[in-house]
Amino acid sequence: MREGLRERKKREARQHISDVATRLFAQRGFEAVTVVEIAEAAGVAKATVTNYFPRKEDLLLDQQAEAENLLVDALRNRPPGQPVAEAVRGLMHRLLAQRHVLSTAAPGMAKFGHLIADSPALLSRAREQREYLESAVARQLSEETGDPVRADLVARLLLAAATTVVVTPVRRLIAGEPASTVATDQRQVIDEAFDLLTEGIGTFGGTT
């Protein structure tokens, strides 16, 4: 019980720091805000911020671990015979239905997209995070199939489709389209991306 409470407090502290940083970034821009200012606004020491977020970019791009867990779990726990593309398609639909921040089809995502687009450091970190996700997915698929070369290729294709699904609504929101319209259309975006993907990789990971 104590360990559970301790972990909960850590998660809450981490989320609080991230929320404060995001608010400051939205107000002033990513580059204009220092880690010291974030620590002061959050009421914690600078060392506390860097302990939770060794890189400043991760104060905004703070969903990496959750994204990796969701993707790997969707693949690992999919029903026997289900192709990997369908497992990830299902995950994308669940995130949308839950209005999860990783679905990106929400009004606040326009500002988030602007912040990333305006910052070379954030763009670079976002690319790195995508590569980490590709590696995590490739490891899972390689363990399943014993085919690391093909697993790596399929992982890259899966992340290309997932990235398209995530980026499309952000771009539309930045362009000024109504959030309600973007959210309504997102189911079709998901299906179009994964329909195209399955034409390329077929039933890899499913029944042979």
Side-chain angles (χ1 to χ4, degrees), residues 41-83:
V44 299
K46 178 185 176 183
T48 301
V49 176
T50 55
N51 282 340
Y52 283 113
F53 302 95
R55 295 180 59 164
K56 179 184 171 185
E57 294 84 359
D58 292 343
L59 284 156
L60 186 68
L61 301 171
D62 64 336
Q63 300 292 318
Q64 172 72 13
E66 183 172 7
E68 180 176 327
N69 289 337
L70 287 168
L71 274 169
V72 172
D73 285 349
L75 295 169
R76 182 183 294 132
N77 299 324
R78 72 189 191 277
Q82 183 184 59

Side-chain angles (χ1 to χ4, degrees), residues 190-201:
I190 294 169
D191 285 333
E192 286 182 352
F194 283 91
D195 285 348
L196 287 171
L197 178 60
T198 54
E199 290 177 10
I201 68 172

Side-chain angles (χ1 to χ4, degrees), residues 96-129:
L96 178 62
Q98 296 165 5
R99 299 177 184 256
H100 195 288
V101 64
L102 288 172
S103 76
T104 69
M109 288 296 112
K111 184 63 178 179
F112 178 81
H114 275 298
L115 281 169
I116 295 177
D118 292 341
S119 170
L122 287 171
L123 284 170
S124 176
R125 183 56 174 160
R127 285 192 290 268
E128 287 179 356
Q129 289 187 343

Side-chain angles (χ1 to χ4, degrees), residues 106-151:
M109 288 296 112
K111 184 63 178 179
F112 178 81
H114 275 298
L115 281 169
I116 295 177
D118 292 341
S119 170
L122 287 171
L123 284 170
S124 176
R125 183 56 174 160
R127 285 192 290 268
E128 287 179 356
Q129 289 187 343
R130 173 178 163 170
E131 290 173 0
Y132 294 152
L133 290 175
E134 287 176 352
S135 296
V137 170
R139 285 194 299 272
Q140 175 61 31
L141 298 182
S142 181
E143 289 174 7
E144 287 183 25
T145 66
D147 187 346
V149 174
R150 198 169 183 214

